[in-house]
């Protein structure tokens, strides 16, 4: 594409024709503040924070959507602009619930940050009518406080463009405009997949996960409970950001020590049950592949994806693997095998999960297939953000912690387990084990590079001793939907398909630390966090699920073989058709 | 003002449904015809209740929230049915200064509904309008095709009584 020359604050730069003033400024090393802008997802020029002066335009223009032309001069920081942005902020504050002291997003709020940067001195410069809304706490994973909403539409854009479910949007008009579901239905009763991507893109405290930390503190201080915790693969590359580490830093050792110091009786690794999932799922796949039974088989680790199929594509329910997710398998094994082994009544075992995911909160409430009748497999799920909150509340200086080791018997996880947290990871882990199951020996190279990377849809074909296996991997529900439509129409045929609800997989899950748009627009947090996991995989002594000694032991002592009668009863589950309307 | 949502049970007929489905069929999967389809649906049903919006969402393969967002954005779309007697109170400038807000409030309290709603028995619906071109008679209200001038809250009771089914 041809380049054009523009000047930003007097600095000459060359940018591709069609570039916006925002991009040109970035190229010139200038940051323009934004609020509603989310690259590729929400480019609507609505909030007027990014206004600039452009020599070929009259009045102030929104830099995020204004295309610069050759020879144009852009000014981004004149006194006039600073005053305009300041007034925009003051107007936003005129209808904003200014409960910053008690807000979950205080110090991580894009509105608050801009007010500070622009020296907004009075939060009541414009006084007038304010909207009144009840907080919607109907969903099991999150709540919405519309009185803190600035109507940037980033949430509804994520819901529509990334996740293709569109259960929230702007209702009514003018001063009454607000984000909600059709017919003002509570979020808990619409076809929301609970992915939490809307929370991750919300600039303020309008959207937040349901905070379950008090339930965990209560259990920890109950002497009759044996409280154990599991940490999902991608927690180790997410949590550090809450404590100032660069994106993608691996903080496994400090994570373990922090949990131990919070008072958990045992600290276990979901990587272990990810390996368990691979044993079950790879075996299930080989059987179904041999019998041509409901192919392609879809992975079942992502509860947002599961909920999506149940609501929107129930015809594919028979194609879902019957394996519980690693979180579910952990809880089920803890309340059966572990309870027996340790001689603890399952009633007294309290299982906490630390997850990068809000949909896991919903998954934990699906108790119709729990391992011990009447008891949930998982008692409480907290997100990475909630864990960080607990660590801070307990006065634990995270950065000063020594490294700790996970406890036995669920402390060992293979590299295959750790990469579950990135899109393509489950597929790669399953392939590593399926190769052994089909050919009798391990693959020469354990890196299945075709299924790695952050592209929305990936495909590959493998030849295992003459058995041709066609696989596909998708992340982000909008990509999953595209793939399902292609499978439905017969345009594509696969044997095994991995799907993660969140774009990039769990590393970008709805429960991960929130990165502001200024970071999300310029850094690929999915790839950066995933790189941490692939590094972890290389560092681990065992990279194959079936070589994990903790896994071998749990089969020897309890389950027998993968897909045995016992494992079916405890480690597998079923699905329900859900009504969209 | 937020559009009130009707609680009156939906009683669409198979004929109405067939008509709407045919209209959707004619749009040929063209999602940009959403507003046009919604206008036709309102012509068929008189308003756009939940059941009708679901039919449109399903038929056109657009999210229900999109349909609802459009329905609540444009004043031409109604979420409540029109009553047998449709009352419209002018809240235009002249009528407003002459006290039409008090007239509207009286209709509201007498009928037990908000503007934009219909009584549960389907007898009366209430809405506001902007100028019927009779400012000399302000405040003005219109019931069906009858125009009433110089209305006071006291006269509201009489007007309602006139239209009540015997």
């Amino acid at each position: 594409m041809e380049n054009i020359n523009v000047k930003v604050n007097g600095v000459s730069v060359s940018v591709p024709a069609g570039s916006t003033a925002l991009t040109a400024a970035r190229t010139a090393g200038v940051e323009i503040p934004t609020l509603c802008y989310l690259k590729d997802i929400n480019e609507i020029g609505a909030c007027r924070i990014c206004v600039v002066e452009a020599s070929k335009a009259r009045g102030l223009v929104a830099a995020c959507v204004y295309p610069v032309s050759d020879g144009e001069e852009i000014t981004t920081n004149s006194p006039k602009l600073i005053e305009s942005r300041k007034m925009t902020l003051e107007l936003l504050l005129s209808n904003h619930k200014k409960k910053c002291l008690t807000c979950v997003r205080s110090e991580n709020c894009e509105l608050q940050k801009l007010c500070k940067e622009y020296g907004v001195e009075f939060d009541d410069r414009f006084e007038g009518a304010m909207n009144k809304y009840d907080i919607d706490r109907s969903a099991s994973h999150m709540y919405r406080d519309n009185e803190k909403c600035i109507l940037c539409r980033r949430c509804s854009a994520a819901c529509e463009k990334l996740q293709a479910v569109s259960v929230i949007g702007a209702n009514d008009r003018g001063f009454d405009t607000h984000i909600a579901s059709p017919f003002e239905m509570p979020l808990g009763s619409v076809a929301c997949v609970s992915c939490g991507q809307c929370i991750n893109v919300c600039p303020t405290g309008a959207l937040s996960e349901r905070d379950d930390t008090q339930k965990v503190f209560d259990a920890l201080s109950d002497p009759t409970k044996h409280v154990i915790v599991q940490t999902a693969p991608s927690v180790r590359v997410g949590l550090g950001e809450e404590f100032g580490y660069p994106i993608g830093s691996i903080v496994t050792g400090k994570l373990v020590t922090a949990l131990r110091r919070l008072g958990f009786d045992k600290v276990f690794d979901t990587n272990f049950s990810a390996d368990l999932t691979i044993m079950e799922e790879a075996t299930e796949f080989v059987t179904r592949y041999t019998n041509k039974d409901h192919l392609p088989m879809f992975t079942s680790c992502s509860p947002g994806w599961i909920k999506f199929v149940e609501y929107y594509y129930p015809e594919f329910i028979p194609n879902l693997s019957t394996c519980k997710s690693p979180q579910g398998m952990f809880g089920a094994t803890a309340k059966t095998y572990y309870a027996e082994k340790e001689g603890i009544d399952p009633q007294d075992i309290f299982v906490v999960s630390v997850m990068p995911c809000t949909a896991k909160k919903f998954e934990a409430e699906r108790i119709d297939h729990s391992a011990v009748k009447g008891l949930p497999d998982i008692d409480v799920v907290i997100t990475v953000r909630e864990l960080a909150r607990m660590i801070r509340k307990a006065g634990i200086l995270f950065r000063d912690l020594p490294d700790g080791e996970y406890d036995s018997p669920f402390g060992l996880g293979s590299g295959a387990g750790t990469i579950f947290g990135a899109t393509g990871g489950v597929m790669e882990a399953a392939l590593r084990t399926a190769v052994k199951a089909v050919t009798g020996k391990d693959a020469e190279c354990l890196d299945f590079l075709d299924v790695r990377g952050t592209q929305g849809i990936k495909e590959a074909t493998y030849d295992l001793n003459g058995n041709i296996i066609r696989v596909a991997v998708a992340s982000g529900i909008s990509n999953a939907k595209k793939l399902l439509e292609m499978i439905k129409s017969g345009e594509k045929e696969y044997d095994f398909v991995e799907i993660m609800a969140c774009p990039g997989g769990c590393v970008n899950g709805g429960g991960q630390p929130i990165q502001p748009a200024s970071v999300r627009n310029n850094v690929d947090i999915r790839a950066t966090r995933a790189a941490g996991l692939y590094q972890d995989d290389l560092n681990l002594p065992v990279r194959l699920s079936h070589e994990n000694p903790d896994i071998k032991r749990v089969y020897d002592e309890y389950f027998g073989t993968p897909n045995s009668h016992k494992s079916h009863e405890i480690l597998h589950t079923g699905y329900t058709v859900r009504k969209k309307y | 003002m937020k559009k009130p949502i009707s609680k009156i049970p939906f009683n669409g007929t198979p004929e109405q449904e067939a008509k709407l489905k045919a209209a959707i069929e004619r749009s040929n999967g063209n999602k940009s015809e959403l507003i046009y389809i919604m206008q036709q649906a309102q012509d068929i049903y008189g308003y756009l209740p939940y059941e009708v919006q679901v039919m449109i969402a399903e038929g056109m393969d657009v999210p229900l929230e999109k349909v609802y967002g459009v329905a609540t954005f444009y004043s031409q779309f109604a979420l409540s049915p029109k009553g047998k007697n449709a009352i419209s109170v002018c809240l235009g400038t002249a009528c407003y200064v002459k006290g039409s807000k008090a007239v509207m409030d009286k209709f509201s309290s007498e009928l037990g509904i908000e503007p934009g709603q219909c009584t549960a028995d389907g007898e009366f619906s209430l809405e506001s309008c902007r100028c019927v071109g009779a400012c000399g008679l302000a405040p003005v209200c219109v019931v069906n095709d009858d125009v009433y001038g110089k209305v006071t809250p006291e006269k509201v009771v009489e007007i309602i009584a006139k239209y009540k089914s015997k």
Side-chain angles (χ1 to χ4, degrees):
Chain A
M1 197 191 289
E2 102 185 86
N3 266 31
I4 54 172
N5 297 306
V6 293
K7 270 188 178 174
V8 181
N9 299 343
V11 177
S12 297
V13 284
S14 173
V15 292
S19 295
T20 62
L22 190 67
T23 311
R26 187 91 199 171
T27 315
V30 174
E31 183 170 35
I32 298 169
T34 58
L35 255 185
C36 69
Y37 175 73
L38 259 192
K39 198 171 158 221
D40 302 329
I41 300 166
N42 201 42
E43 302 179 344
I44 59 173
C47 74
R48 309 291 296 171
I49 283 292
C50 70
V51 286
V52 293
E53 292 176 73
S55 61
K56 295 186 181 174
R58 283 191 302 154
L60 306 183
V61 294
C64 67
V65 290
Y66 181 75
V68 286
S69 49
D70 196 36
E72 191 153 25
E73 293 185 26
I74 304 290
T75 308
T76 73
N77 52 12
S78 65
K80 184 179 172 185
L81 291 169
I82 307 260
E83 190 44 48
S84 166
R85 288 180 196 145
K86 192 173 164 189
M87 194 189 288
T88 300
L89 291 166
E90 287 164 340
L91 286 164
L92 281 172
L93 290 181
S94 74
N95 190 24
H96 183 76
K97 186 202 251 177
K98 296 175 279 285
K99 298 270 188 193
C100 304
L101 281 180
T102 52
C103 182
V104 65
R105 291 289 298 276
S106 192
E107 298 191 326
N108 184 20
C109 167
E110 295 180 35
L111 179 62
Q112 190 184 44
K113 181 167 172 271
L114 284 171
C115 285
K116 201 171 163 189
E117 279 175 12
Y118 282 84
V120 174
E121 291 165 90
F122 305 103
D123 64 9
D124 57 351
R125 177 170 170 203
F126 300 105
E127 279 192 278
M130 290 182 80
N131 287 117
K132 285 269 161 257
Y133 296 103
D134 293 330
I135 298 177
D136 182 350
R137 296 189 189 276
S138 59
S140 48
H141 65 296
M142 66 178 287
Y143 66 87
R144 183 179 63 238
D145 184 352
N146 275 351
E147 291 180 13
K148 289 181 181 169
C149 173
I150 59 167
L151 294 171
C152 65
R153 266 82 160 174
R154 276 157 53 169
C155 58
S156 52
C159 194
E160 178 184 352
K161 306 235 172 85
L162 297 177
Q163 304 301 65
V165 291
S166 277
V167 290
I168 51 168
N171 291 351
D172 290 290
R173 68 187 288 174
F175 188 64
D176 294 306
T177 310
H178 61 287
I179 300 296
S181 296
F183 289 86
E184 305 301 325
M185 285 185 283
L187 192 61
S189 41
V190 297
C192 165
V193 300
S194 309
C195 68
Q197 287 296 315
C198 55
I199 304 172
N200 283 16
V201 297
C202 180
T204 70
L207 302 176
S208 191
E209 65 284 347
R210 184 182 73 190
D211 189 304
D212 289 317
T213 56
Q214 195 53 47
K215 291 179 200 160
V216 182
F217 279 123
D218 290 348
L220 287 171
S221 56
D222 181 345
T224 67
K225 294 277 178 222
H226 179 77
V227 189
I228 62 176
V229 63
Q230 60 167 329
T231 64
S234 65
V235 175
R236 69 207 68 209
V237 292
L239 182 66
E241 291 163 38
E242 288 277 348
F243 299 97
Y245 288 86
I247 297 172
S249 303
I250 310 173
V251 294
T252 322
K254 290 186 194 305
L255 162 68
V256 171
T257 306
L259 290 165
R260 199 160 280 138
R261 293 199 181 172
L262 277 169
F264 287 98
D265 293 303
K266 294 281 175 176
V267 181
F268 293 129
D269 197 351
T270 313
N271 285 14
F272 157 82
S273 51
D275 283 333
L276 191 55
T277 304
I278 287 302
M279 299 302 288
E280 293 296 321
E281 197 160 1
T283 309
E284 181 186 3
F285 171 67
V286 171
T287 311
R288 282 169 66 161
Y289 176 79
T290 314
N291 300 335
K292 300 271 169 275
D293 173 17
H294 287 102
L295 296 177
M297 184 176 100
F298 290 110
T299 57
S300 56
C301 310
S302 166
W305 151 245
I306 294 297
K307 221 177 161 191
F308 177 72
V309 174
E310 290 178 328
Y311 271 127
Y312 298 87
Y313 288 88
E315 65 270 31
F316 281 115
I317 286 179
N319 295 67
L320 290 171
S321 159
T322 59
C323 289
K324 285 182 182 171
S325 73
Q327 154 170 278
M329 285 202 184
F330 177 88
T333 309
K335 295 206 175 174
T336 53
Y337 166 71
Y338 178 75
E340 252 176 58
K341 193 178 163 78
E342 300 292 314
I344 306 170
D345 183 345
Q347 303 263 12
D348 296 330
I349 298 179
F350 193 89
V351 179
V352 176
S353 308
V354 183
M355 294 284 140
C357 180
T358 47
K360 290 283 174 194
K361 287 179 188 275
F362 175 82
E363 182 187 274
E365 290 173 8
R366 311 172 66 122
I367 54 168
D368 38 339
H369 289 86
S370 58
V372 180
K373 242 190 161 19
L375 277 188
D377 288 342
I378 304 296
D379 293 280
V380 176
V381 178
I382 56 170
T383 60
V384 179
R385 299 189 288 267
E386 289 164 270
L387 174 61
R389 235 170 271 155
M390 288 184 72
I391 292 171
R392 280 192 280 267
K393 205 183 237 185
I396 295 168
L397 296 174
F398 188 81
R399 295 184 70 103
D400 297 342
L401 291 175
D403 284 347
E405 299 272 338
Y406 284 106
D407 288 307
S408 188
F410 309 138
L412 293 179
S414 74
T418 213
I419 59 173
F420 260 59
T423 167
V426 177
M427 178 58 71
E428 181 168 349
L431 287 168
R432 289 181 190 174
T433 289
V435 168
K436 174 79 187 261
V438 174
T439 68
K441 52 180 198 273
D442 287 327
E444 277 172 32
C445 174
L446 295 182
D447 300 327
F448 292 77
L449 299 176
D450 297 335
V451 293
R452 293 189 188 181
T454 54
Q455 309 94 282
I457 299 175
K458 294 165 277 188
E459 350 176 53
T461 304
Y462 298 100
D463 183 345
L464 310 186
N465 271 6
N467 298 295
I468 305 297
I469 296 177
R470 300 157 299 174
V471 307
V473 172
S475 72
I477 302 258
S478 61
N479 295 314
K481 193 175 166 181
K482 270 183 225 152
L483 196 62
L484 287 181
E485 286 299 331
M486 289 192 287
I487 293 169
K488 229 171 134 168
S489 70
E491 187 187 336
K492 295 276 184 184
E493 276 189 46
Y494 303 106
D495 302 301
F496 193 10
V497 176
E498 177 210 290
I499 297 195
M500 293 293 155
C502 291
C506 314
V507 287
N508 186 33
Q512 289 281 23
I514 291 173
Q515 288 293 348
S518 55
V519 172
R520 297 179 76 97
N521 288 337
N522 297 298
V523 179
D524 187 347
I525 54 175
R526 301 165 304 172
T528 320
R529 288 178 186 154
L533 288 181
Y534 287 110
Q535 189 54 48
D536 198 36
D537 170 32
L538 284 177
N539 295 346
L540 287 165
V542 178
R543 297 186 64 203
L544 295 160
S545 300
H546 53 272
E547 298 287 331
N548 178 345
D550 277 357
I551 290 292
K552 288 182 180 169
R553 186 173 57 233
V554 79
Y555 278 105
D556 285 348
E557 291 181 7
Y558 199 67
F559 291 118
T561 57
N563 292 10
S564 67
H565 181 67
K566 197 164 197 173
S567 71
H568 261 289
E569 275 189 344
I570 294 170
L571 304 176
H572 290 248
T573 187
Y575 309 104
T576 339
V577 177
R578 291 176 198 275
K579 276 210 144 101
K580 234 195 315 179
Y581 304 114
Chain B
M1 192 158 2
K2 263 177 79 175
K3 261 187 207 182
I5 299 163
S6 166
K7 290 199 181 71
I8 297 169
F10 175 63
N11 58 357
T13 63
E15 290 74 36
Q16 286 173 316
E17 190 173 334
K19 257 186 176 172
L20 175 57
K21 290 210 162 128
I24 293 171
E25 193 78 19
R26 282 193 299 275
S27 75
N28 227 342
N30 184 357
K31 291 179 191 182
S32 66
E33 286 193 16
L34 176 63
I35 292 184
Y36 179 51
I37 295 293
M38 289 170 68
Q39 286 167 332
Q40 293 179 76
Q42 182 152 299
D43 284 345
I44 297 166
Y45 288 94
Y47 72 124
L48 299 176
Y50 177 79
E51 292 78 1
V52 173
Q53 291 194 31
V54 167
M55 276 187 248
I56 295 171
E58 288 279 279
M60 302 199 67
D61 190 26
V62 294
L64 180 62
E65 170 51 37
K66 188 134 270 180
V67 182
Y68 185 76
V70 170
T72 53
F73 184 87
Y74 292 104
S75 57
Q76 61 174 302
F77 295 118
L79 300 184
S80 284
K82 277 256 174 7
K84 219 161 78 192
N85 302 294
I87 304 168
S88 185
V89 180
C90 178
L91 291 182
T93 314
C95 287
Y96 199 89
V97 269
K98 283 288 198 177
S100 63
K101 180 72 174 40
V103 173
M104 176 66 101
D105 289 347
K106 186 67 179 170
F107 271 116
S108 244
S109 62
E110 283 297 313
L111 297 170
I113 52 173
E114 295 294 309
Q117 286 182 315
C118 179
T119 53
D121 59 7
E123 284 287 316
F124 291 97
S125 58
L126 181 62
E127 62 179 9
S128 64
C129 64
R130 294 283 183 278
C131 198
V132 293
C135 307
L137 297 174
V140 173
C141 77
V142 184
V143 184
N144 303 333
D145 290 326
D146 312 328
V147 179
Y148 294 86
K150 299 197 190 282
V151 187
T152 58
E154 293 71 43
K155 283 193 188 159
V156 162
V157 184
E158 285 170 41
I159 295 172
I160 293 173
K162 222 170 135 183
Y163 291 89
K164 240 184 199 147
S165 307
K166 274 133 207 137

